[in-house]
Amino acid sequence: VWLGIHSGWRKGSTFDRANSAVALGFWSVPTFWLGMILLIVFSSGFGPIPSIFPADGMITPGVSGFLHSLFDILKHLVLPCLTLVLVQYAQYVTIARSSIIDEMGSPYLLTARAKGLADALVRDRHAVPNAMLPTITMIFMQIGGLIGGAITVETVFSWPGLGYLTYQALKVPDLPLLQGTFVIFSMSVIVMNLFADLLYSIFDPRVGDE
């Protein structure tokens, strides 16, 4: 979000062009494909790059002890987490950038500048709160999706979550299990949307007045 805000505020700069190019590139990549590429490069080893991270599962069989188990889980989590972060990073950057650009020509920003406020204060105190509503919606939608399970990523990395469970239920197919997972997916999205609506009034008091 921070990158998107600063990219939009400095529209057309080298920072903006580079950041937008990287974001659009990652946004265009299918999540499951990116996960498989990361597996090939960092798990199987590619050229001079050795095998660094485990390929699948949540924990290595035979690992015992709290600290060893925690470290092993974190090591297994790196590639799935990186896959999700790279794709979602692109969405946050693009939407935050577009929202800031839409606000830049607003009269209230001209008034703030006319009062002598520094450019950073105009951006952070006036432009950002008004531009955050679409980003808040996306953040909570993504949280709801993560609670529901990232089906493709969990399947690629064999991570034992709700997404991988849904994939296994689809293969059978196990209809009662699918109905249960879909109920959880739906409820998580609904609850997160409710939280987003409650936060709208904090960033934009006009929403609460309506």
Side-chain angles (χ1 to χ4, degrees), residues 5-6 12 23 56 61 64 66 72 75 87 91 95 103 109 112 130 145 156 166 172 177-178 182 192:
I5 289 171
H6 285 73
D56 58 2
S64 60
F66 175 76
D72 190 62
K75 194 173 181 180
V87 176
Q91 298 177 14
I95 291 181
E103 295 293 330
L109 294 184
N130 286 281
V156 169
T166 303
V172 176
L177 179 57
L178 284 174
F182 288 155
M192 289 303 115

Side-chain angles (χ1 to χ4, degrees), residues 2-25:
W2 184 90
L3 288 171
I5 289 171
H6 285 73
S7 183
W9 194 253
R10 297 162 57 186
K11 180 183 176 183
S13 65
T14 302
F15 174 79
D16 175 41
R17 291 196 296 270
N19 197 29
S20 299
V22 173
L24 290 174

Side-chain angles (χ1 to χ4, degrees):
V1 174
W2 184 90
L3 288 171
I5 289 171
H6 285 73
S7 183
W9 194 253
R10 297 162 57 186
K11 180 183 176 183
S13 65
T14 302
F15 174 79
D16 175 41
R17 291 196 296 270
N19 197 29
S20 299
V22 173
L24 290 174
F26 280 122
W27 204 348
S28 304
V29 173
T31 309
F32 68 91
W33 182 85
L34 179 60
M36 289 188 289
I37 294 298
L38 292 177
L39 271 177
I40 293 172
V41 174
F42 295 107
S43 182
S44 301
F46 183 78
I49 302 175
S51 176
I52 303 174
F53 300 107
D56 58 2
M58 183 178 180
I59 192 168
T60 304
V63 174
S64 60
F66 175 76
L67 290 179
H68 289 87
S69 298
L70 178 61
F71 178 77
D72 190 62
I73 292 174
L74 292 176
K75 194 173 181 180
H76 279 79
L77 186 61
V78 170
L79 292 183
C81 183
L82 183 61
T83 303
L84 289 172
V85 166
L86 288 177
V87 176
Q88 293 182 10
Y89 142 83
Q91 298 177 14
Y92 290 129
V93 167
T94 305
I95 291 181
R97 177 183 181 275
S98 299
S99 300
I100 282 291
I101 291 175
D102 289 341
E103 295 293 330
M104 286 181 65
S106 301
Y108 70 90
L109 294 184
L110 296 176
T111 303
R113 289 190 177 97
K115 291 179 179 179
L117 291 180
D119 191 64
L121 291 178
V122 173
R123 180 192 64 222
D124 296 337
R125 292 186 181 179
H126 297 277
V128 170
N130 286 281
M132 279 296 292
L133 297 186
T135 306
I136 290 173
T137 302
M138 186 179 63
I139 288 173
F140 280 90
M141 287 291 289
Q142 294 285 2
I143 293 175
L146 289 174
I147 293 174
I151 296 177
T152 56
V153 173
E154 290 184 4
T155 301
V156 169
F157 293 98
S158 299
W159 185 271
L162 285 175
Y164 189 47
L165 182 64
T166 303
Y167 169 75
Q168 291 176 317
L170 286 168
K171 288 175 63 177
V172 176
D174 187 340
L175 297 182
L177 179 57
L178 284 174
Q179 290 174 342
T181 55
F182 288 155
V183 167
I184 295 175
F185 296 167
S186 303
M187 286 300 299
S188 63
V189 173
I190 291 171
V191 170
M192 289 303 115
N193 271 323
L194 175 62
F195 287 154
D197 289 339
L198 295 175
L199 280 177
Y200 284 165
S201 59
I202 297 177
F203 284 88
D204 190 349
R206 295 172 297 179
V207 176
D209 294 338
E210 293 174 359

